[in-house]
Amino acid sequence: MSLIMQEERLILVDEQDNKVGIGSKMQVHQQGALHRAFSVFIFDSQGRLMLQQRASGKYHSGGLWTNACCGHPRPDESNLEAATRRLDEEMGFTCTLQEVDQILYRVDVSNGLIENEYNHTFIGLFNRIPALNPDEAEGWKWMTVSDIFDAINHSPLQFTAWFKVILAHFGQQAIEQWAEYFR
């Protein structure tokens, strides 16, 4: 485990997203404590969704496909600031992001860790090639929303647990409406 991982602090929240404390990233995920998070969904002008393949060396869910980026705001930054920062750190670009909704979920991920998150969902538009940080992402691709739902139905183990939960929660029609926002 990296020193950065040990030192990163997450915002603990209640079920209404009120801050109730601060915890270390690894301890929060080991205990399954409810914490604030975000997920970024990036579309191109053709309505396709950008998928990221997590780096195999990540502390959980390595090698799996997921949305463009996810993460946790630091105690001193807003959700939007954190989402913009992580998009740049993971995928090597920034764009205008807009929060569209929130979701509360608890899922087991690999290595005995638990994602128990009050998750703020952001969308954005990007039409170029990302510059991946190899420590974060080992691949990327554009897919239509319907193709993503089909792929998850046929090969669910290739996708992160939280990505599947978020897609199932909002549903294919809502995700396609997010894509239409940029057409």
Side-chain angles (χ1 to χ4, degrees), residues 5-181:
M5 175 70 174
Q6 292 174 6
E7 294 177 354
E8 190 170 346
R9 310 294 282 171
L10 304 187
I11 303 168
L12 303 175
V13 297
D14 64 18
E15 291 185 357
Q16 288 74 46
D17 197 33
N18 298 305
K19 180 180 173 181
V20 297
I22 302 292
S24 72
K25 185 174 184 177
M26 186 53 80
Q27 187 174 29
V28 165
H29 287 104
Q30 289 169 335
Q31 296 173 348
L34 182 59
H35 59 282
R36 189 172 295 153
F38 59 83
S39 293
V40 178
F41 286 71
I42 299 296
F43 296 91
D44 69 4
S45 57
Q46 297 176 42
R48 299 177 300 178
L49 182 62
M50 178 183 281
L51 295 186
Q52 176 203 123
Q53 185 177 25
R54 288 171 60 87
S56 295
K58 295 287 284 184
Y59 69 104
H60 71 75
S61 307
L64 299 182
W65 289 95
T66 197
N67 49 293
C69 89
C70 294
H72 309 94
R74 295 174 177 154
D76 63 343
E77 69 184 343
S78 72
N79 298 322
L80 177 59
E81 289 169 335
T84 301
R85 171 182 54 80
R86 283 304 288 164
L87 185 59
D88 189 38
E89 290 172 356
E90 292 185 24
M91 302 301 285
F93 70 90
T94 60
C95 63
T96 301
L97 298 175
Q98 172 185 332
E99 186 169 349
V100 290
D101 215 328
Q102 301 88 40
I103 175 177
L104 185 66
Y105 59 80
R106 180 184 174 102
V107 293
D108 293 334
V109 294
S110 62
N111 298 332
L113 302 177
I114 301 164
E115 289 287 11
N116 187 11
E117 298 184 331
Y118 191 105
N119 189 285
H120 296 262
T121 308
F122 290 87
I123 61 173
L125 174 68
F126 185 73
N127 283 303
R128 298 188 314 266
I129 296 173
L132 304 183
N133 174 345
D135 293 333
E136 299 290 342
E138 61 188 45
W140 74 280
K141 61 185 172 183
W142 293 112
M143 288 183 74
T144 66
V145 174
S146 63
D147 285 348
I148 292 168
F149 276 84
D150 288 344
I152 288 172
N153 286 332
H154 288 98
S155 302
L157 298 179
Q158 293 182 13
F159 298 89
T160 62
W162 63 88
F163 184 53
K164 293 182 287 190
V165 167
I166 291 169
L167 292 179
H169 173 80
F170 292 115
Q172 184 172 339
Q173 184 176 9
I175 307 296
E176 288 173 345
Q177 287 175 348
W178 295 349
E180 286 300 316
Y181 181 81

